[in-house]
């Protein structure tokens, strides 16, 4: 019995957590045994021992991926919201996680700078993904959600629902 993993990726402030939490709540209401995993919370759970350099981010993303694989093998559905902008991580996920479904929450840099919920884009921090180092944009996600504000989070979930039911 295998579960599944909804890997929701995008830059900081893209709306990953909002979309992911709504999707998790919908899954739970429909009777799916699901867990919600957020990248910021997972950093704390794993001991917050990694920084924000590209290499530390890669290590963190692989921790998240391995946890998701473990949960899926045990029959649970994981909704994991994480930046993890690395082709190698997503390729590992596709090869090792049963029921893997990748959602890329895509947002323009202009929108991210305008939203700037965590102050990352205005404070000049040196390790901001997509600003201070290149990210590997997902090449073959199962779904791309354009999230520049034209749709409500609930409308985005409707798009996700239709894509999953395919």
């Amino acid at each position: 019995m295998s579960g599944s993993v909804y890997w929701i990726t995008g830059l900081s402030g893209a709306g990953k957590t909002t979309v992911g939490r709504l999707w998790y709540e919908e899954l739970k209401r429909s009777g799916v045994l699901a867990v919600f995993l957020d990248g910021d919370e997972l950093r704390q759970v794993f001991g917050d021992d990694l920084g924000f350099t590209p290499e530390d981010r890669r290590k963190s993303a692989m921790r998240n991926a391995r946890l998701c694989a473990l949960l899926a093998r045990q029959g649970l559905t994981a909704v994991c919201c994480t930046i993890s902008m690395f082709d190698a991580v997503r390729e590992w996920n596709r090869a090792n996680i049963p029921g893997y479904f990748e959602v890329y929450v895509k947002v323009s840099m202009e929108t991210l700078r305008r939203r700037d919920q965590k102050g990352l884009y205005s404070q000049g921090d040196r390790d901001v993904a997509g600003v201070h180092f290149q990210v590997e944009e997902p090449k073959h996600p199962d779904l791309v959600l354009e999230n520049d504000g034209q749709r409500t989070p609930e409308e985005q979930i409707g798009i996700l629902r239709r894509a999953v039911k395919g």
Side-chain angles (χ1 to χ4, degrees):
M1 169 174 78
S2 289
S4 57
V5 172
Y6 294 94
W7 188 266
I8 303 176
T9 189
L11 294 174
S12 184
K16 300 177 301 295
T17 300
T18 300
V19 168
R21 189 167 298 283
L22 286 171
W23 184 240
Y24 161 77
E25 290 168 3
E26 182 167 314
L27 291 170
K28 293 287 283 186
R29 279 193 304 275
S30 68
V32 174
L33 293 174
V35 295
F36 178 77
L37 304 171
D38 177 74
D40 291 338
E41 292 174 353
L42 286 170
R43 279 182 166 274
Q44 294 174 4
V45 167
F46 286 126
D48 204 21
D49 62 332
L50 297 173
F52 293 92
T53 65
E55 185 54 35
D56 279 352
R57 287 175 180 272
R58 185 175 288 108
K59 288 177 185 176
S60 180
M62 282 308 304
R63 286 178 180 177
N64 299 346
R66 288 185 191 103
L67 175 60
C68 287
L70 174 67
L71 294 171
R73 285 193 308 269
Q74 293 182 19
L76 298 173
T77 293
V79 177
C80 186
C81 306
T82 177
I83 294 175
S84 69
M85 302 294 285
F86 302 100
D87 290 334
V89 174
R90 291 186 298 271
E91 289 166 10
W92 187 93
N93 288 352
R94 287 206 186 276
N96 294 283
I97 299 176
Y100 178 73
F101 191 92
E102 184 178 302
V103 178
Y104 176 32
V105 181
K106 186 174 184 175
V107 179
S108 70
M109 189 55 68
E110 177 184 323
T111 299
L112 292 173
R113 289 183 196 282
R114 188 178 69 246
R115 286 181 188 161
D116 204 14
Q117 299 159 332
K118 298 178 183 178
L120 293 174
Y121 298 101
S122 60
Q123 293 177 1
D125 289 344
R126 296 176 50 197
D127 291 323
V128 178
V131 175
H132 299 102
F133 61 89
Q134 283 295 110
V135 297
E136 298 169 346
E137 187 173 48
K139 291 172 182 56
H140 305 289
D142 296 292
L143 177 65
V144 176
L145 292 176
E146 299 281 347
N147 199 27
D148 281 323
Q150 294 86 356
R151 293 184 180 96
T152 67
E154 292 75 17
E155 289 171 323
Q156 297 286 25
I157 294 303
I159 295 167
L160 175 55
R161 184 183 314 112
R162 287 187 297 278
V164 168
K165 291 182 181 178

